[in-house]
Amino acid sequence: MEDALVRVVDLCKVYNPGENEVRALDHVDLEIHKGEFVAIIGQSGSGKSTFMNMLGCLDVPTSGKYYLNGTDVSTMKDNDLSVVRNKEIGFIFQGFNLIANLTAQENVELPLIYRGVPKKERHELSVAALKKVGLAHRMDHRPSEMSGGQQQRVAIARAIAQAPPVILADEPTGNLDSASSMEILDILKQLHAENRTVILITHDNDIAKQAKRVIRIKDGTVSYTHLRAHETCADL
């Protein structure tokens, strides 16, 4: 099997070291390979959010190693982590995180500006990404002129515009009704069908079942990993 895209080795995150320490992550080992669709599920306080911060290079572990696309990112400083995040990870958050006074297309283009992508290419990438999520007719609309589901689709377009190796979706349906939630999950399944690597963070069992592999976190440890090997997207 090819090298893991995400490889976590003996990962620990400890807050308040000493007598009253909290082990948010306790010796976690995990591999996620290119093209997988994985759900990481856990209740509040399970360590799920801390683990998401580690996988997204938003924080570093107390001990252990994290290899992302072959690079050890576990001891990197903030500036270096920022570069890795920009290049390797497309984030989709529960709260959309769109800029209110920018159009959908301008919101998708914004991170591409930070990455130094030339103007013509930025335009082409943003248009293609918005078409992919079914928003060709809403490119000039601002967030206030769109529904929650449409705003989340803009956020997905922003995440996928430059085809990062990892799509990290943190409770992406948390602020949406059931119909919009299914639309978002269908887009994530389509990205997986195109061999994108999708990591879905959730507390909801029904949402987690949409993934091909479910990893449960409890008390800072991986309590089980379940592979839905014989199912296809149609079965879900």
Side-chain angles (χ1 to χ4, degrees):
M1 182 177 282
E2 65 185 32
D3 289 340
L5 185 59
V6 167
R7 185 160 69 96
V8 169
V9 182
D10 203 28
L11 202 73
C12 295
K13 184 65 177 181
V14 180
Y15 297 104
N16 306 320
E19 192 174 329
N20 297 315
E21 73 180 21
V22 176
R23 288 189 163 266
L25 294 174
D26 195 6
H27 300 288
V28 173
D29 293 291
L30 181 67
E31 289 190 355
I32 297 171
H33 291 265
K34 184 182 179 189
E36 280 202 90
F37 184 4
V38 175
I40 297 175
I41 187 169
Q43 299 306 313
S44 178
S46 63
K48 172 181 90 262
S49 296
T50 302
F51 196 36
M52 191 280 293
N53 287 340
M54 298 293 149
L55 294 178
C57 296
L58 298 166
D59 199 359
V60 292
T62 305
S63 63
K65 293 289 185 182
Y66 172 27
Y67 299 93
L68 176 59
N69 213 4
T71 299
D72 182 1
V73 299
S74 49
T75 58
M76 283 187 176
K77 303 300 182 187
D78 286 348
N79 286 346
D80 295 326
L81 283 175
S82 178
V83 171
V84 170
R85 282 196 303 271
N86 259 333
K87 181 182 175 187
E88 304 286 347
I89 303 168
F91 288 97
I92 305 164
F93 294 105
Q94 179 175 337
F96 316 145
N97 291 0
L98 302 178
I99 307 298
N101 63 346
L102 297 183
T103 65
Q105 186 177 347
E106 289 167 341
N107 266 286
V108 175
E109 279 197 29
L110 190 59
L112 302 177
I113 294 173
Y114 294 141
R115 291 172 193 160
V117 177
K119 185 174 182 180
K120 183 173 183 290
E121 187 181 350
R122 288 200 308 266
H123 178 80
E124 292 169 353
L125 288 171
S126 61
V127 168
L130 285 163
K131 285 180 177 177
K132 183 181 282 289
V133 299
L135 288 178
H137 62 303
R138 307 288 277 182
M139 291 191 193
D140 296 326
H141 289 70
R142 288 177 169 77
S144 62
E145 301 169 312
M146 292 185 283
S147 68
Q150 288 171 335
Q151 290 183 63
Q152 189 61 297
R153 282 192 269 161
V154 174
I156 292 174
R158 180 182 59 193
I160 67 174
Q162 211 178 11
V166 178
I167 304 295
L168 187 59
D170 182 24
E171 301 279 7
T173 62
N175 286 337
L176 304 177
D177 60 34
S178 57
S180 296
S181 294
M182 288 313 300
E183 288 178 0
I184 297 306
L185 289 167
D186 284 344
I187 291 172
L188 293 178
K189 289 178 189 175
Q190 181 59 39
L191 291 169
H192 169 247
E194 295 169 3
N195 207 33
R196 303 285 190 101
T197 305
V198 180
I199 303 174
L200 173 64
I201 314 290
T202 184
H203 69 280
D204 187 319
N205 281 304
D206 289 334
I207 298 294
K209 286 176 184 175
Q210 308 301 309
K212 290 292 185 168
R213 180 158 63 114
V214 179
I215 297 161
R216 183 171 293 277
I217 293 228
K218 184 177 181 181
D219 299 328
T221 64
V222 173
S223 61
Y224 75 79
T225 175
H226 172 57
L227 180 63
R228 303 165 68 80
H230 302 296
E231 294 174 335
T232 65
C233 287
D235 295 322
L236 299 173

